[in-house]
């Protein structure tokens, strides 16, 4: 009627049915290169472990002192919260305290990064943090499940946290039309979402797990969440007397700030454009080198200032964290150039970018994957094909090398997905 033919509109591929994606030539990473990467990263890890000492110990103590100072300042300022500048400053200080406690202290200590110090209060098995999730449940869902099966569909429950569609390989369902709503709710209530992660509610809804299995986990929630609620929403507001409601609001705001910040950093490290996912079949019986390569392809970094890295718990170096989760995170900035050089040497992508670019990419994915397949134009695709192992029981060719058909190639993740 308007003289406009939809198939000719290049910027509406979801209406025209045409795709603007261009498939790039795949990178083929041979078996020897994979194992060389493994040996080099093992050596880098051992060198760093051997160099740990007083500087690392003092760094952690400085961060702990800073965290406690911000908490004391924040709670003190909220006692005079009838002055708007004092209330704002109190919320800001308490927010920084909670972020440092969760990200640069709690997350890293519970990874065992400082167990070598033999400091009982900083032992990974007993440390408790200022958030609703019990530390023992977090160590299972994060340290074990996520870091062992990083980005393996069907095994890594951090892909979508059981409620989101964050990868095109996840089968679309009308439920996912609410992707942006669920993501926003998870962001605002992140500490509670993390708390419930081990319950695997999606499996309960699907009939694959019984509610009875959740009872022991729920007991842990009750013990930990009760303390958190009493501390932030009853005890400190009551101590502030007539400032009860401003203090209550200030504590809730600080928790909200922490939730939004932690969610954003974590999602930017796992779900921006270019991060790759994998299947159980292609990761079966991985070698050490193949595990390292999967960690590099399945993670992303965020560029920023030294202060930005501290406030992110150095999870802005998510690639290095997934390679070396038990090394002190403040060492990641010095390891990052070496890891990047190794990636460049072997032609592997090293996914990094500014915070704005990465978080925009994440939210674009959240909105895009809410729609049925075919309603959006896929990003240009790249592939990394890994030759996983050689069969030595087949004859050599005339040149004295293994024939081409004796190498088993596995396309890791198939696509580096948007």
């Amino acid at each position: 009627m308007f003289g406009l033919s939809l198939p000719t509109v290049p910027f509406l591929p979801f209406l025209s049915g045409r795709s603007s994606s261009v498939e790039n030539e795949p990178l083929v990473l041979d078996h020897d290169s994979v194992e060389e990467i493994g040996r080099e990263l093992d050596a880098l890890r051992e060198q760093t472990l051997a160099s740990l000492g007083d500087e690392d110990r003092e760094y952690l103590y400085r961060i702990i002192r800073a965290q406690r100072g911000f908490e004391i300042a924040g709670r003190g300022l909220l006692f005079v919260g009838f002055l708007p500048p004092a209330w704002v400053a109190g919320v800001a200080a308490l927010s920084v305290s909670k972020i440092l406690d969760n990200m640069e202290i709690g997350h890293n200590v519970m990874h065992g990064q400082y167990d070598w110090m033999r400091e009982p209060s900083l032992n990974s098995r007993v440390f408790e943090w200022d958030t609703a999730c019990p530390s023992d449940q977090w160590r299972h869902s994060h340290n074990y499940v996520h870091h062992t099966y990083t980005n393996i569909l069907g095994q890594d429950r951090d892909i979508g946290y059981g409620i989101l569609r964050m990868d095109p390989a996840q089968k679309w369902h009308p439920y996912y039309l609410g992707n942006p709503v669920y993501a926003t709710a998870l962001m605002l209530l992140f500490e509670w979402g993390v708390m419930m992660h081990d319950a695997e509610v999606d499996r309960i809804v699907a009939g694959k797990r019984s509610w009875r299995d959740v009872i022991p986990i729920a007991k842990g929630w009750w013990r930990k969440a009760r303390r958190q609620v009493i501390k932030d929403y009853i005890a400190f507001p009551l101590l502030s007397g007539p400032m009860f409601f401003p203090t209550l609001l200030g504590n809730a705001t600080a928790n909200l700030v922490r939730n939004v910040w932690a969610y954003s950093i974590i999602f930017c490290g796992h779900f921006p454009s270019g991060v790759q996912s994998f299947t159980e079949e292609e990761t079966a019986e991985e070698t050490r080198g193949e595990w390292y390569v999967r960690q590099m392809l399945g993670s992303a970094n965020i560029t920023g200032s030294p202060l930005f890295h501290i406030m992110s718990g150095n999870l802005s170096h998510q690639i290095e964290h997934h390679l070396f989760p038990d090394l002190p995170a403040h060492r990641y900035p010095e390891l990052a150039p070496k890891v990047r050089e190794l990636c460049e040497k072997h032609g592997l992508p090293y996914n990094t970018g500014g915070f704005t670019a990465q978080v925009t990419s994440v939210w674009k994915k959240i909105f895009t994957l809410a729609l049925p397949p075919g309603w959006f134009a896929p990003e240009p695709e790249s592939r990394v094909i890994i030759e996983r192992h050689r069969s030595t029981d087949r004859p050599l060719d005339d040149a004295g090398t293994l024939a081409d058909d004796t190498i088993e190639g596995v396309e890791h993740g198939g696509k580096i997905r948007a």
Side-chain angles (χ1 to χ4, degrees):
M1 179 171 63
F2 297 101
L4 179 66
S5 174
L6 285 178
T8 66
V9 183
F11 52 85
L12 293 176
F14 68 99
L15 291 177
S16 66
R18 301 171 66 179
S19 172
S20 60
S21 66
V22 178
E23 187 166 330
N24 301 324
E25 286 297 317
L27 163 69
V28 179
L29 192 64
D30 63 77
H31 174 78
D32 291 340
S33 295
V34 172
E35 297 311 304
E36 180 185 348
I37 289 171
R39 288 190 293 271
E40 292 191 43
L41 289 174
D42 274 341
L44 186 57
R45 180 179 182 275
E46 292 303 318
Q47 291 169 10
T48 306
L49 280 173
S51 69
L52 297 180
D54 290 341
E55 291 185 8
D56 304 277
R57 180 183 288 106
E58 183 55 34
Y59 173 83
L60 180 59
Y61 288 153
R62 287 199 305 271
I63 294 295
I64 291 173
R65 287 194 296 269
Q67 181 271 322
R68 290 174 179 172
F70 277 113
E71 180 170 11
I72 291 170
R75 297 203 182 277
L77 285 165
L78 288 176
F79 272 77
V80 290
F82 58 87
L83 300 171
W87 188 89
V88 172
V91 169
L94 192 56
S95 299
V96 170
S97 167
K98 288 176 175 289
I99 288 170
L100 288 175
D101 175 274
N102 284 190
M103 305 192 75
E104 184 68 334
I105 301 173
H107 170 270
N108 295 334
V109 166
M110 287 192 290
H111 262 298
Q113 294 178 6
Y114 295 95
D115 282 357
W116 56 272
M117 289 172 51
R118 309 296 184 189
E119 175 72 50
S121 64
L122 297 173
N123 184 282
S124 62
R125 293 179 294 277
V126 300
F127 187 87
E128 197 57 77
W129 53 352
D130 180 22
T131 191
C133 181
S135 61
D136 60 333
Q137 294 185 26
W138 183 88
R139 286 193 297 271
H140 172 259
S141 62
H142 183 81
N143 286 15
Y144 172 65
V145 178
H146 173 60
H147 276 272
T148 302
Y149 305 110
T150 308
N151 278 29
I152 299 178
L153 292 161
Q155 290 187 298
D156 182 4
R157 292 188 47 76
D158 280 22
I159 302 177
Y161 289 82
I163 60 172
L164 300 174
R165 185 172 184 242
M166 295 303 301
D167 191 282
Q170 292 174 276
K171 185 178 180 181
W172 185 84
H173 185 276
Y175 161 85
Y176 288 120
L177 290 171
N179 231 28
V181 176
Y182 314 144
T184 301
L186 179 62
M187 177 178 67
L188 299 178
L189 302 170
F190 194 55
E191 68 168 319
W192 303 100
V194 171
M195 182 191 77
M196 298 183 66
H197 197 29
D198 244 8
E200 303 181 8
V201 176
D202 56 316
R203 296 187 66 225
I204 294 174
V205 173
K208 298 179 180 178
R209 190 178 193 188
S210 169
W211 281 106
R212 293 179 181 177
D213 298 332
V214 181
I215 293 176
I217 298 174
K219 289 179 179 178
W221 297 348
W222 170 249
R223 288 191 297 269
K224 183 64 191 297
R226 179 180 56 188
R227 290 198 298 269
Q228 293 299 116
V229 170
I230 291 174
K231 175 175 66 70
D232 276 344
Y233 303 126
I234 299 176
F236 276 106
L238 283 174
L239 287 172
S240 65
M243 296 307 299
F244 179 93
F245 288 108
T247 300
L248 176 66
L249 179 60
N251 289 348
T253 304
N255 282 327
L256 177 64
V257 171
R258 182 270 318 277
N259 288 348
V260 172
W261 179 252
Y263 167 96
S264 300
I265 293 295
I266 291 169
F267 269 57
C268 284
H270 294 88
F271 303 121
S273 177
V275 169
Q276 188 166 324
S277 63
F278 312 86
T279 67
E280 296 180 48
E281 292 75 20
E282 66 197 8
T283 55
E285 299 181 2
E286 281 182 321
T287 65
R288 180 71 168 170
E290 290 165 356
W291 182 87
Y292 273 133
V293 171
R294 173 162 59 85
Q295 303 307 315
M296 291 191 286
L297 295 177
S299 309
N301 284 5
I302 316 168
T303 57
S305 67
L307 179 59
F308 175 83
H309 295 315
I310 290 172
M311 292 300 293
S312 72
N314 276 287
L315 293 180
S316 47
H317 295 93
Q318 192 69 231
I319 295 172
E320 288 69 33
H321 175 57
H322 272 273
L323 293 173
F324 312 116
D326 59 347
L327 293 183
H330 78 99
R331 291 292 196 104
Y332 296 156
E334 70 183 55
L335 294 172
K338 300 173 184 177
V339 173
R340 186 166 193 164
E341 181 180 347
L342 183 62
C343 287
E344 292 173 351
K345 174 182 175 182
H346 294 279
L348 287 172
Y350 186 85
N351 191 334
T352 188
F355 178 73
T356 301
Q358 297 290 53
V359 79
T360 299
S361 175
V362 167
W363 279 99
K364 177 183 177 183
K365 178 181 290 188
I366 289 169
F367 276 87
T368 299
L369 293 180
L371 302 173
W375 282 40
F376 57 89
E379 294 279 342
E381 299 170 350
S382 298
R383 293 176 295 163
V384 177
I385 298 177
I386 294 180
E387 296 173 350
R388 293 192 60 190
H389 27 249
R390 296 177 183 275
S391 173
T392 56
D393 57 352
R394 297 192 181 185
L396 303 178
D397 61 16
D398 293 338
T401 59
L402 286 169
D404 290 342
D405 63 353
T406 66
I407 297 177
E408 180 185 345
V410 177
E411 185 177 297
H412 250 237
K415 302 171 182 177
I416 297 180
R417 301 184 175 94

